[in-house]
Amino acid sequence: MPLRRLLAPLGAGLLLLSAACGGGGEDGDRPEPRRPESSDPAEGAAELMADMSLEEKVGQLLVPVVQGTTAEENADLIEDHHPGGFIYFPDNLSDVEQITGLSNGLQDLATGSGAGVPLFLGVDQEQGMVSRLPVGTRFPDAMAVGATRDPEAAASLAGTTAEELTALGLNLDYAPVADVNVNPDNPVIGIRSFGSDPALVGEMMTAEARAFEEGGVVPVAKHFPGHGDTDVDSHTGLPTIDKPREEWERVDLPPFEQAVDADIDAIMTAHVFMPELDDSGEPSTLSENVITGILRGELGYDGVVSTDALNMEGVRQTHDDGEIAVRAVLAGADQLLMPPDVEAAHSAVTAAVEEGRISEERLEESVLRVLELKLERGLYDAEPADAAAASDVLGGEEHAAAARDVADASVTLLRNEGGVLPLEEGSAVRVIGSGSEEIGAALRDKGYALADSASAADTVVVGTDGARGDAEQKGLVADARASGTPVVVVAQGNPYDIAELPDLDGYLATYSSVDVSREAAARVLAGEVDPSGRLPVDIPGTDLEFGDGLSY
């Protein structure tokens, strides 16, 4: 037995004290991972794997949710199961000092125990509605980026996000979304997608992924083979996408082909059932035909394949949690994201290898991919995160300006009857609905009077967010129209609201409800910014199509 394994229990005990105190404050305090002799990532990965036990190899496939807010709370899990990474959620995070301490402490525990392999520390920081960090810069959603038509906007978002993640000690982002949103009723993708055009989605997705990689953060393009044409949320059920393969190849596949061509670090599977790709009834995450047959075989992808979260109901319909983990590995997945029972997943995969159900060769294919990517992205040479430096990075005006630029370029003017916009300087405006506080405050700061009623206003601005399926929001717009005062809607979610809001005087789409998008809407309303966004989707039930947009 190697000496490092004999000493592992003592090392773990010492590291618990370090993690409890914040973890790795001085560079010299950080345990050194066992570095390979070869500088070639593939050869180095083979060196590292040669000294790993079966349990340590299986552990590299596991990416559980981090427990609590301190590294110490995860010490037993790391010592027992040797996970390849963790994913953070808001409950784990509070401020810069806590997040950097958590990241440093987890890495210290991992590099000081077992095979000494650094962790992937990841988060869902797509930006917009899916943003888990309580600190840092908030950009608009992906559909807003698609509306800019500018891949530099996508690169700016990802580069800025990567710099902030790195400063906090994170090295992986479960983004960008490569799904083509062609279903207006999609309950889970929507504005998380760049749009309904495969070429636009592919261009923006690749620009983001490249910027993440250049910033030292692993991007994970998601969700293969496509989640943009569903009307069921895979968090709560298994969506079925019953379309001909030819249509799938034309609409959903192209962005993933671009991801493969660009050799993007990682691709995430979708918990969707597509009978034309695999008629077994299994979700794509558990389908060997989809992952090994199509993604690896037909498309030639050899990067890391991550499952979507294994605690979602879309993948838990017919098997227990241990069997789900085994079937995902057999299908071709390399990392098992968020197994609801880490012990069950680790034990089941280990037993499947020992019994020959999963061959050692199959297991080691995944381990090598994971280790090689960790070497390529510099995890073995990463310095501990510094809270003071991270605070400077996350609070920088340059990052705030980058988010404002993307938001300003995304706002799309779809209706402007009688030239109601821009608002007359100094006029009275009634602002109600979604985002009214932020939009109203911004307009007040620009010299507009905020009226208490529609009858006392020159214009009524109504904020909406998903009004198509919300009678209360539609009623708010109808009441404003009944006042006889010109009505302008600012749609901050899906742009499809306009299909059920007839006879409006003005309509702006921001594709996002983050503060920076609401402030951008106010700048457009006031005429400080000329709207330049263009529709990244078609609007069914109207004559509005992909590419439409007005300017002043």
Side-chain angles (χ1 to χ4, degrees):
M1 177 180 292
L3 178 61
R4 63 176 175 80
R5 291 191 188 154
L6 288 172
L7 296 177
L10 175 60
L14 293 173
L15 279 169
L16 266 176
L17 178 60
S18 170
C21 296
E26 299 293 334
D27 291 356
D29 294 341
R30 168 155 288 187
E32 286 290 320
R34 187 182 73 85
R35 289 180 171 81
E37 293 182 8
S38 175
S39 60
D40 177 76
E43 294 177 359
E47 285 181 44
L48 294 169
M49 188 180 71
D51 196 33
M52 295 174 70
S53 68
L54 172 59
E55 290 76 15
E56 289 166 351
K57 292 175 185 176
V58 172
Q60 285 302 302
L61 277 58
L62 302 175
V63 183
V65 178
V66 71
Q67 300 300 299
T69 58
T70 66
E72 182 180 14
E73 294 169 88
N74 298 271
D76 288 344
L77 191 157
I78 291 173
E79 185 64 27
D80 294 343
H81 301 304
H82 323 289
F86 285 97
I87 181 172
Y88 291 179
F89 279 89
D91 286 348
N92 309 123
L93 311 171
S94 58
D95 54 37
V96 169
E97 185 172 1
Q98 180 267 329
I99 298 170
T100 54
L102 174 63
S103 299
N104 289 339
L106 290 171
Q107 293 291 14
D108 289 350
L109 287 170
T111 56
S113 66
V117 180
L119 297 160
F120 281 134
L121 296 179
V123 67
D124 281 309
Q125 194 70 6
E126 297 173 14
Q127 292 290 0
M129 66 186 296
V130 180
S131 298
R132 310 300 191 195
L133 297 179
V135 294
T137 307
R138 289 290 296 276
F139 279 78
D141 291 81
M143 194 171 285
V145 178
T148 72
R149 295 298 195 275
D150 183 5
E152 288 301 317
S156 174
L157 179 153
T160 301
T161 304
E163 187 176 357
E164 297 187 350
L165 292 176
T166 301
L168 294 168
L170 285 86
N171 50 41
L172 183 148
D173 194 352
Y174 291 100
V177 171
D179 301 315
V180 181
N181 198 81
V182 293
N183 188 338
D185 296 319
N186 194 317
V188 67
I189 303 300
I191 56 175
R192 296 170 62 196
S193 166
F194 293 106
S196 63
D197 178 73
L200 175 68
V201 173
E203 180 181 36
M204 295 297 179
M205 178 275 302
T206 303
E208 278 200 12
R210 283 289 188 228
F212 276 123
E213 291 174 354
E214 289 168 3
V217 170
V218 171
V220 184
K222 58 190 186 184
H223 312 75
F224 186 82
H227 211 313
D229 194 11
T230 62
D231 57 8
V232 173
D233 185 345
S234 54
H235 291 85
T236 58
L238 177 60
T240 296
I241 304 176
D242 195 3
K243 64 170 62 174
R245 174 156 181 156
E246 294 75 16
E247 183 182 351
W248 170 75
E249 290 179 350
R250 178 178 60 83
V251 176
D252 303 278
L253 179 59
F256 292 104
E257 288 179 315
Q258 287 190 243
V260 173
D261 291 344
D263 197 23
I264 287 173
D265 286 345
I267 292 176
M268 178 184 287
T269 64
H271 303 327
V272 298
F273 171 48
M274 297 188 69
E276 289 297 312
L277 303 186
D278 182 347
D279 61 4
S280 68
E282 295 281 17
S284 295
T285 295
L286 306 183
S287 169
E288 185 176 3
N289 287 344
V290 172
I291 300 177
T292 300
I294 298 175
L295 182 56
R296 296 230 189 266
E298 295 181 24
L299 302 183
Y301 184 63
D302 195 37
V304 170
V305 172
S306 170
T307 70
D308 202 345
L310 295 181
N311 63 355
M312 294 165 59
E313 289 305 311
V315 76
R316 303 179 76 194
Q317 302 286 309
T318 54
H319 311 291
D320 64 37
D321 293 329
E323 179 66 11
I324 287 168
V326 170
R327 288 182 178 241
V329 175
L330 287 171
D334 302 307
Q335 292 223 293
L336 308 173
L337 180 62
M338 297 169 60
D341 186 333
V342 179
E343 169 66 35
H346 191 278
S347 297
V349 174
T350 301
V353 176
E354 291 174 335
E355 296 164 3
R357 185 180 175 195
I358 297 175
S359 69
E360 288 193 30
E361 179 183 13
R362 168 68 200 91
L363 172 66
E364 291 182 352
E365 286 176 359
S366 289
V367 177
L368 286 172
R369 288 191 189 101
V370 170
L371 294 176
E372 184 175 349
L373 184 55
K374 289 183 175 183
L375 289 165
E376 287 178 346
R377 289 290 158 248
L379 269 64
Y380 277 77
D381 300 311
E383 297 291 336
D386 181 87
S391 294
D392 290 340
V393 169
L394 273 69
E397 171 56 28
E398 184 179 350
H399 286 191
R404 286 197 299 271
D405 288 345
V406 174
D408 284 348
S410 71
V411 179
T412 307
L413 178 62
L414 294 175
R415 184 168 297 166
N416 194 15
E417 297 296 326
V420 66
L421 295 177
L423 300 172
E424 184 178 346
E425 187 175 349
S427 61
V429 186
R430 172 68 168 155
V431 186
I432 56 176
S434 181
S436 58
E437 185 174 339
E438 294 84 357
I439 296 170
L443 289 174
R444 184 177 57 242
D445 290 345
K446 300 177 190 306
Y448 290 91
L450 298 186
D452 293 330
S453 66
S455 61
D458 298 302
T459 311
V460 179
V461 173
V462 185
T464 65
D465 189 348
R468 288 176 74 239
D470 189 326
E472 183 176 351
Q473 290 191 68
K474 287 191 283 189
L476 198 64
V477 175
D479 289 345
R481 285 183 52 242
S483 72
T485 304
V487 175
V488 176
V489 162
V490 178
Q492 298 150 61
N494 286 319
Y496 310 111
D497 288 359
I498 194 171
E500 296 188 24
L501 299 175
D503 303 323
L504 296 171
D505 298 283
Y507 187 92
L508 290 177
T510 66
Y511 317 96
S512 188
S513 60
V514 297
D515 287 351
V516 72
S517 291
R518 289 168 169 170
E519 292 160 2
R523 287 191 286 274
V524 170
L525 290 168
E528 292 180 1
V529 170
D530 188 4
S532 60
R534 294 296 176 262
L535 260 181
V537 296
D538 294 328
I539 308 289
T542 74
D543 58 359
L544 294 168
E545 298 179 340
F546 177 90
D548 283 348
L550 305 172
S551 297
Y552 292 151

